[in-house]
Amino acid sequence: MGIFGRKRRTEGGSAGRHGAPEADDTIEDEAYDEEEGLSDVSDGPFDVADFEDDGVPRIDLGSVKVPVPDGSQVQVEMDPETGGVRAVHVVTEQGQITVSAYAAPRSGGLWREVSTELAEQLRADGAKVNIGRGVWGLEISAIVGDVSLRFVGIDRPRWMLRGVIAGPQSEAAGAVEVLRDIVRRTIVDRGDAPMPVRTPLTITLPEAVAEHIAAQQQQG
């Protein structure tokens, strides 16, 4: 499932104002604050330029530094066509978490566009979609078969961070807080190079992880 789909606003429905989305499959303007653009930076996620070391263990993926909770595992998804890294997942008891960063306008607002497209794409895939407001603004939850999904997005100057957790429906209640906690403590290194809006920020692996994957590939 791609992050970006067709651009078409949906009409009708309502949205909750708290962490648990209401049963609704549309996005209205009321789901956003009137002046919503960039979310509050005081509680994370953080830009690398503004971050002070807090001692939290993180895996350094170049563009993002993602916390790895005790008892969780890190899985690397490779792109078989390019040989590069497609995504890095943090696997917890509540589900698999993926955090991705993208180039964005200085003024923010990219998550508003992306969330509309994402909800539409999920519905097209047959998912039951619920929409509401959470810590940073709009959140999307969806059920696809036996899998529960929750998406959050955060706009900052020049980058947008998206987090998603996928897990069993029985863990959905606790999964959202696990996702929010990891996203909240993630650090983004956008870099200074100009790039088109929506460009995924490059993921690089720590040397030890890259060597381990290379060795596995050589073996089979």
Side-chain angles (χ1 to χ4, degrees), residues 205-212:
L205 298 176
E207 184 175 353
V209 176
E211 291 176 352
H212 177 70

Side-chain angles (χ1 to χ4, degrees), residues 94-142:
Q94 291 75 24
Q96 175 180 284
I97 296 171
T98 309
V99 178
S100 308
Y102 301 83
R106 290 184 180 276
S107 58
L110 180 58
W111 175 238
R112 176 169 181 159
E113 298 177 13
V114 170
S115 58
T116 302
E117 299 166 14
L118 180 57
E120 182 182 71
Q121 185 172 337
L122 286 164
R123 290 194 298 271
D125 291 339
K128 179 181 178 181
V129 180
N130 296 336
I131 297 165
R133 290 189 60 83
V135 177
W136 298 282
L138 186 139
E139 294 183 358
I140 298 174
S141 66

Side-chain angles (χ1 to χ4, degrees), residues 41-203:
V41 302
S42 62
D43 192 34
F46 300 97
D47 189 277
V48 66
D50 303 324
F51 179 73
E52 296 183 4
D53 186 21
D54 57 5
V56 173
R58 293 176 174 86
I59 182 169
D60 189 344
L61 302 175
S63 59
V64 290
K65 297 168 177 56
V66 181
V68 180
D70 291 340
S72 61
Q73 297 180 337
V74 175
Q75 293 183 352
V76 179
E77 180 181 349
M78 303 298 292
D79 188 328
E81 295 183 0
T82 66
V85 181
R86 177 177 291 170
V88 176
H89 312 289
V90 178
V91 182
T92 70
E93 293 182 356
Q94 291 75 24
Q96 175 180 284
I97 296 171
T98 309
V99 178
S100 308
Y102 301 83
R106 290 184 180 276
S107 58
L110 180 58
W111 175 238
R112 176 169 181 159
E113 298 177 13
V114 170
S115 58
T116 302
E117 299 166 14
L118 180 57
E120 182 182 71
Q121 185 172 337
L122 286 164
R123 290 194 298 271
D125 291 339
K128 179 181 178 181
V129 180
N130 296 336
I131 297 165
R133 290 189 60 83
V135 177
W136 298 282
L138 186 139
E139 294 183 358
I140 298 174
S141 66
I143 297 176
V144 182
D146 296 329
V147 178
S148 175
L149 301 168
R150 178 68 72 104
F151 296 84
V152 301
I154 301 94
D155 284 311
R156 294 285 191 265
R158 302 181 68 239
W159 55 262
M160 182 199 80
L161 190 69
R162 187 194 74 162
V164 56
I165 186 167
Q169 294 186 40
S170 59
E171 296 290 342
V176 60
E177 290 305 325
V178 175
L179 171 63
R180 288 170 178 165
D181 191 48
I182 286 181
V183 168
R184 180 179 292 112
R185 296 185 293 165
T186 294
I187 305 165
V188 179
D189 188 350
R190 160 67 172 76
D192 297 325
M195 61 182 72
V197 169
R198 299 188 178 215
T199 301
L201 302 190
T202 302
I203 295 175

